[in-house]
Amino acid sequence: MEFKLKSIGIVHSPFKKKEDIDSKKYADSGGFDSVQGELEIFNEFVGGLKDIEGFSHLVVLFAFHKSEGYRLHTKPLLDDTLRGVFSTRSPNRPNPLGMTVVKVIERKGNSLKVSGIDMIEGTPILDIKPYTSRDKKSSIKLGWLEQKKNKTKIEEIK
Amino acid sequence: MEFKLKSIGIVHSPFKKKEDIDSKKYADSGGFDSVQGELEIFNEFVGGLKDIEGFSHLVVLFAFHKSEGYRLHTKPLLDDTLRGVFSTRSPNRPNPLGMTVVKVIERKGNSLKVSGIDMIEGTPILDIKPYTSRDKKSSIKLGWLEQKKNKTKIEEIK
């Protein structure tokens, strides 16, 4: 089954290209908390933003538009072992979809100023949803990422 | 900009149609925790599941395949006021994309037994990602949903 999607807006980010992003930040729960950017929603869809200011956090679904193909086994930025692509957040996936939770700072018309940006400039936005208490999970296990997270922390302490 | 996506698998759910889902559960953080189902991944993509058992929770991106068109202002199931569609989790969105975080119970080959299912039987899966500490936010504000949540709780107490 095939699905056609269209962009509803565009991300404005301080990261102009992939290489601008410090990959170590991916292992840190607050790694991108201070990175501010803008979600610009195309005029056609602005009506859908009504009531959005009431939510502190939003789920942003976007396209990894610079992704070119995929492999089912991939070496994540944070690791040197081949992992299943669905066990990673690699942009090179069967469907190049990204998901990031951002914090709302301010809405001005068709623009949402947010923090928590880990996308690059020009990333096409596909959907925005309110982040709800159902999305907040406790007692989470992080698989291969757990070791990397601890390792990063230990290295930072050293 | 347009994007073409394909399904990588299918959801098996105790909910055979939309009407089988008790909509009050959407307001409750653990509303669907006990609902078990299966994520069946097509053989072509099974290699991508390597290492997935290490993660306790997964982000599932899927298509609202029964959705027919959208309105920018919509009445959510939990409310009787028109809300901006991006302030709701309505299936009728400009891009009919859904996102649910599920808990992994067991993997058997191309099948993931999970709990937290709020999709209906036959829902096309577009992507699976590990849920990480970056997806877990504290001090969240829930906008219009906050009142509904409290109201539901108060009604339950009565």
Side-chain angles (χ1 to χ4, degrees), chain B residues 76-108:
Chain B
L77 285 173
L78 295 168
D79 200 9
D80 49 13
T81 308
L82 282 174
R83 306 291 179 185
V85 68
F86 301 127
S87 310
T88 78
R89 300 287 279 249
S90 164
N92 304 309
R93 339 180 49 82
N95 290 309
L97 292 172
M99 190 281 276
T100 296
V101 183
V102 298
K103 188 172 178 186
V104 181
I105 299 172
E106 186 184 21
R107 177 187 166 188
K108 276 192 183 168

Side-chain angles (χ1 to χ4, degrees), chain B residues 8-37:
Chain B
I8 60 154
I10 202 168
V11 176
H12 296 295
S13 166
F15 306 123
K16 299 310 168 196
K17 51 188 195 303
K18 265 194 315 202
E19 295 72 22
D20 294 341
I21 305 181
D22 175 5
S23 60
K24 275 187 201 152
K25 288 189 173 178
Y26 289 114
D28 176 359
S29 60
F32 292 88
D33 281 3
S34 65
V35 181
Q36 294 192 5

Side-chain angles (χ1 to χ4, degrees), chain A residues 50 87 97 118 129 131, chain B residues 50 87 95 97 129 134-135:
Chain A
K50 183 175 176 282
S87 310
L97 292 172
D118 64 353
K129 302 177 190 292
Y131 182 88
Chain B
K50 183 175 176 283
S87 310
N95 290 309
L97 292 172
K129 301 177 190 293
R134 292 184 48 226
D135 306 313

Side-chain angles (χ1 to χ4, degrees), chain B residues 45-59:
Chain B
F45 302 105
V46 169
L49 293 180
K50 183 175 176 283
D51 305 303
I52 212 148
E53 306 92 320
F55 292 88
S56 59
H57 293 79
L58 302 173
V59 174

Side-chain angles (χ1 to χ4, degrees), chain A residues 75-94:
Chain A
K75 265 187 205 167
L77 285 173
L78 295 168
D79 199 10
D80 48 14
T81 307
L82 282 173
R83 305 291 180 185
V85 68
F86 301 126
S87 310
T88 78
R89 300 288 278 247
S90 163
N92 304 310
R93 341 181 45 84

Side-chain angles (χ1 to χ4, degrees), chain A residues 31-42:
Chain A
F32 292 88
D33 281 3
S34 65
V35 182
Q36 293 191 7
E38 187 197 338
L39 309 179
E40 178 194 341
I41 305 302
F42 299 146

